[in-house]
């Protein structure tokens, strides 16, 4: 591990952040944070309890009245400062993300910029929370509609984007006037704690943002959601856990936003520009080393261009440098943990067993971290497990097609519906395909869709609600209608 990271770790908080104070866990429990590049523990972080959960909600509840009544411009200015300070600290935050998550520095730097943009975007949205006014149809009174902050929000985030998944929730919640308790993933609690310190520095009042790492996640999140002051849960993670949280939310009729798993198809049509399709495939597959819910999971390529596409894609994948994420010049870091590495290998073995051709990669290298090489498989069987579940690693399965309608039907044959990608030189055809794809987002001749100013989210088992855009702030509001005799 580079010495800059040692120095950085010495400055990063490792305790719970509740009501503006750093605290130990009430039972002294800790979480070991592991460096996936070496498989060694770097530092231990306090792991919250149910009691700490109650304390965190209580802090958020105490801070709510003042924060929701603060002038929108005041909230906006603080969020804007958070953007500026994140950008100023980009290098340190990126190193921290690489150290605890494993991703390559280039990906970590991109994540910090992306994460910071949520603060900028929602600093701009904070002063634009419109309502409406209309005359009732009978003409006898006015219908006044306003948006109010929903209240205390519980935010639960995954390890794959430790900064961006947190800011994508914190920024709109604060913009709308809500206070929050964030439970980060146990693999990556450090980035969330560093963000808590940063938000305190820019003037977020005590109790408005509380951060509660907790490895007993089911129990602790259960305790959070059971607190009467909580009115909202926003979750990003697996569909399996999202369903559990929806059950818990039902008991208290909590407003719920769910950003869940994906199984993105990537279609390359007969007339596509193959060089551009390969460049797009590299981004759609390899952004974040393949550990993204938006990662292209299945490549449907027209038979007439499949050999050319497969060759070019494999050559580009093979050229990527695999190594410790925080080393300069590395393109692909390790996967987040041993379980992830094992799962990717199992999926590859299954596909190969069913007849897939390995164009590049396919085997775990001999190294101490959780590495997996960029891998391209051709002629993958439709029944292979990786066609039906998220790979969450640098592996690209190619399936060849001849009939576009059949390819679209195959693309839609999944319980998920987060994002789809289409490459074609015929824009009208691309738009027709985009219409037919069952997903919340489509990349048309683009390998990336994520943008803080656009509504991000999925259909089917990929989730409920949208993050980013104007919609992202509305998720943290309630509509109030005031019937007014004018
Ligand atoms: P995960 O296991 O669902 O964990 C996500 C978060 O939920 C973590 O903070 C985790 O805490 C917590 N958690 C786990 N079990 C829980 C339970 N029973 N009750 C309450 N909370 C619980 O997901 P992951 O493995 O970290 O992340 C990968 C998944 O996230 C993938 O499926 C990916 O597609 C999805 N994802 C979706 C989006 C999107 O926007 N749609 C974005 C990124 C990732 P612990 O870490 O302490 O277990
Ligand atoms: Mg997990």
């Amino acid at each position: 591990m580079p010495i800059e990271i040692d120095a950085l770790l010495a400055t990063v908080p490792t305790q719970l952040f509740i009501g503006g104070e750093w605290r130990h866990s009430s039972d002294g429990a800790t979480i070991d944070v592991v460096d996936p590049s070496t498989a060694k523990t770097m530092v231990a972080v306090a792991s919250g309890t149910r009691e700490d959960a109650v304390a965190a909600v209580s802090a958020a509840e105490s801070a709510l009245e003042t924060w929701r009544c603060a002038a929108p411009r005041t909230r906006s200015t603080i969020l804007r400062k958070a953007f500026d300070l994140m950008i100023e600290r980009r290098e340190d935050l990126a190193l921290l993300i690489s150290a605890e998550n494993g991703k390559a520095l280039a990906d970590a730097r991109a994540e910090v910029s992306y994460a910071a943009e949520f603060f900028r975007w929602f600093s701009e949205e904070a002063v634009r929370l419109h309502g409406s006014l209309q005359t009732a149809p009978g003409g006898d009174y006015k219908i006044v509609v306003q948006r109010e902050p929903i209240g205390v929000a519980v935010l639960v985030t995954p390890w794959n984007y430790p900064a961006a998944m947190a800011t994508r929730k914190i920024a709109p919640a604060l913009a709308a006037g809500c206070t929050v308790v964030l439970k980060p993933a146990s693999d990556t609690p450090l980035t969330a704690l560093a963000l808590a310190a940063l938000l305190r520095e820019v003037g977020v009042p005590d109790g408005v943002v509380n951060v509660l790492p907790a490895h007993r996640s089911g129990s602790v999140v259960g305790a959070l959601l059971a607190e009467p002051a909580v009115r909202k849960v926003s979750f990003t993670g697996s569909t399996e856990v999202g369903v559990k949280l929806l059950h818990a939310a039902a008991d208290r009729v909590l407003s719920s936003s769910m950003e869940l798993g994906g199984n993105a198809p990537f279609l390359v049509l007969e007339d596509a520009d193959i060089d551009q399709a390969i460049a797009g495939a590299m981004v759609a597959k390899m952004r974040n080393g393949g550990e993204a819910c938006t990662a292209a999971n299945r490549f449907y390529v027209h038979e007439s261009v499949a050999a050319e596409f497969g060759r070019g894609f494999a050559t580009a994948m093979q050229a990527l440098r695999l190594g410790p994420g925080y080393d300069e010049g590395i393109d692909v870091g390790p996967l987040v943990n041993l379980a992830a590495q094992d799962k990717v290998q199992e999926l590859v073995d299954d596909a190969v067993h069913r007849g897939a051709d390995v164009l590049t990669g396919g085997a775990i290298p001999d190294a101490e971290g959780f590495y997996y090489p960029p891998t391209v498989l051709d002629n993958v069987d439709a029944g292979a497990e990786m066609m039906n579940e998220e790979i969450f690693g640098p592996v690209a399965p190619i399936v060849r097609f001849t009939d576009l309608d059949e390819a679209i039907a195959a693309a839609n044959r999944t319980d998920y519906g987060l994002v789809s990608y289409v490459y074609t030189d015929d824009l009208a055809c691309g738009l027709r395909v985009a219409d037919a794809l069952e997903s919340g987002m489509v990349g048309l001749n683009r390998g990336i869709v994520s943008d803080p100013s656009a509504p991000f989210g999925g259909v089917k088992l990929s989730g409920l609600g949208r993050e980013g855009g104007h919609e992202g702030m509305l998720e943290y509001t309630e509509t109030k209608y005031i019937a007014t005799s004018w």
Side-chain angles (χ1 to χ4, degrees):
M1 205 167 62
I3 46 168
E4 307 96 276
I5 295 182
D6 269 336
L8 189 61
L9 287 175
T11 67
V12 172
T14 55
Q15 291 177 302
L16 313 177
F17 186 65
I18 298 178
E21 287 173 3
W22 298 101
R23 298 193 195 174
H24 292 294
S25 155
S26 69
D27 70 355
T30 57
I31 302 166
D32 283 344
V33 184
V34 172
D35 168 5
S37 295
T38 60
K40 296 203 169 64
T41 298
M42 300 185 292
V43 66
V45 161
S47 179
T49 62
R50 293 175 68 89
E51 209 175 291
D52 297 321
V54 173
V57 173
S58 163
E61 188 183 10
S62 303
L64 182 62
E65 194 52 28
T66 309
W67 185 249
R68 79 199 295 273
C69 294
R73 179 62 71 200
T74 303
R75 298 199 295 262
S76 168
T77 302
I78 291 176
L79 291 172
R80 175 62 204 221
K81 284 183 184 162
F83 165 75
D84 291 335
L85 193 54
M86 265 191 97
I87 295 299
E88 200 182 306
R89 302 245 169 101
R90 191 166 79 139
E91 216 38 46
D92 279 356
L93 286 167
L95 261 184
L96 190 62
I97 292 171
S98 275
E100 66 173 349
N101 165 283
K103 70 178 70 177
L105 262 183
D107 279 323
R109 289 179 181 128
E111 178 181 353
V112 179
S113 299
Y114 174 54
E117 284 296 343
F118 286 101
F119 285 130
R120 176 154 68 172
W121 174 256
F122 285 108
S123 78
E124 292 158 351
E125 288 296 289
V127 290
R128 291 175 175 78
L129 196 51
H130 304 290
S132 66
L133 170 64
Q134 85 190 74
T135 302
D140 46 347
Y141 70 100
K142 300 272 189 195
I143 294 171
V144 179
V145 178
Q146 63 191 37
R147 290 281 186 167
E148 298 185 345
I150 196 164
V152 175
V154 168
L155 316 176
V156 182
T157 51
W159 49 263
N160 63 341
Y161 287 93
M165 296 304 98
T167 61
R168 193 161 80 173
K169 299 182 192 303
I170 294 171
L174 267 53
C178 296
T179 60
V180 307
V181 179
L182 168 70
K183 200 226 74 81
S186 296
D187 280 314
T188 56
L190 295 172
T191 304
L193 293 171
L195 284 177
L198 182 148
L199 289 171
R200 185 195 211 188
E201 263 183 82
V202 298
V204 172
D206 294 350
V208 170
V209 173
N210 305 277
V211 179
L212 186 72
H215 74 278
R216 292 156 290 197
S217 41
S219 165
V220 171
V221 174
L224 289 170
L225 299 187
E227 281 301 294
V230 170
R231 293 308 324 145
K232 169 87 198 177
V233 56
S234 177
F235 172 75
T236 297
S238 61
T239 296
E240 185 192 351
V241 173
V243 169
K244 285 186 194 166
L245 297 191
L246 281 171
H247 279 284
D251 286 339
R252 296 208 44 254
V253 196
L254 292 184
S255 161
S256 308
S257 302
M258 296 280 144
E259 296 290 354
L260 309 177
N263 181 4
F266 188 109
L267 279 70
V268 182
L269 276 44
E270 203 173 355
D271 62 357
D273 177 318
I274 297 305
D275 289 340
Q276 280 184 27
I278 291 168
M282 289 300 290
V283 176
K285 180 74 251 178
M286 294 308 294
R287 178 170 172 246
N288 224 37
E291 293 179 303
C293 50
T294 50
N297 209 60
R298 301 169 286 156
F299 291 82
Y300 294 99
V301 184
H302 193 273
E303 179 67 52
S304 63
V305 293
E308 184 190 354
F309 176 85
R311 250 192 329 270
F313 193 12
T315 302
M317 289 281 269
Q318 210 165 13
L320 297 177
R321 285 207 282 162
L322 184 67
Y326 38 64
D327 284 357
E328 211 62 65
I330 292 297
D331 300 303
V332 189
L335 296 173
V336 71
N337 56 33
L338 186 61
Q341 190 190 37
D342 285 346
K343 182 189 154 194
V344 172
Q345 187 62 58
E346 276 169 31
L347 290 174
V348 170
D349 289 346
D350 167 73
V352 171
H353 181 71
R354 292 171 198 257
D357 302 317
V358 181
L359 299 188
T360 184
I364 293 174
D366 185 17
E368 48 183 5
F370 310 121
Y371 298 98
Y372 203 86
T375 298
V376 181
L377 306 176
D378 198 359
N379 295 306
V380 176
D381 187 79
E385 284 166 32
M386 66 171 62
M387 302 304 285
N388 298 306
E389 52 175 293
E390 281 187 297
I391 300 168
F392 242 66
V395 176
I398 298 174
V399 175
R400 300 174 176 214
F401 74 87
T402 46
D403 181 85
L404 180 57
D405 290 334
E406 279 171 25
I408 293 169
N412 287 337
R413 208 170 293 129
T414 167
D415 289 336
Y416 295 104
L418 187 61
V419 59
S420 311
Y421 303 92
V422 188
Y423 270 79
T424 171
D425 262 4
D426 178 346
L427 190 59
C429 170
L431 287 168
R432 277 196 305 277
V433 175
D435 277 352
L437 289 168
E438 296 167 359
S439 59
M441 303 177 286
V442 178
L444 181 48
N445 293 327
R446 275 185 70 76
I448 180 168
V449 296
S450 305
D451 187 321
S453 60
F456 184 105
V459 300
K460 296 157 81 177
L461 295 197
S462 288
L464 293 174
R466 294 294 179 267
E467 292 192 305
H470 186 63
E471 289 89 336
M473 186 167 55
L474 299 185
E475 303 266 328
Y476 294 91
T477 66
E478 281 287 16
T479 300
K480 181 177 278 174
Y481 148 53
I482 307 170
T484 308
S485 288
W486 202 249

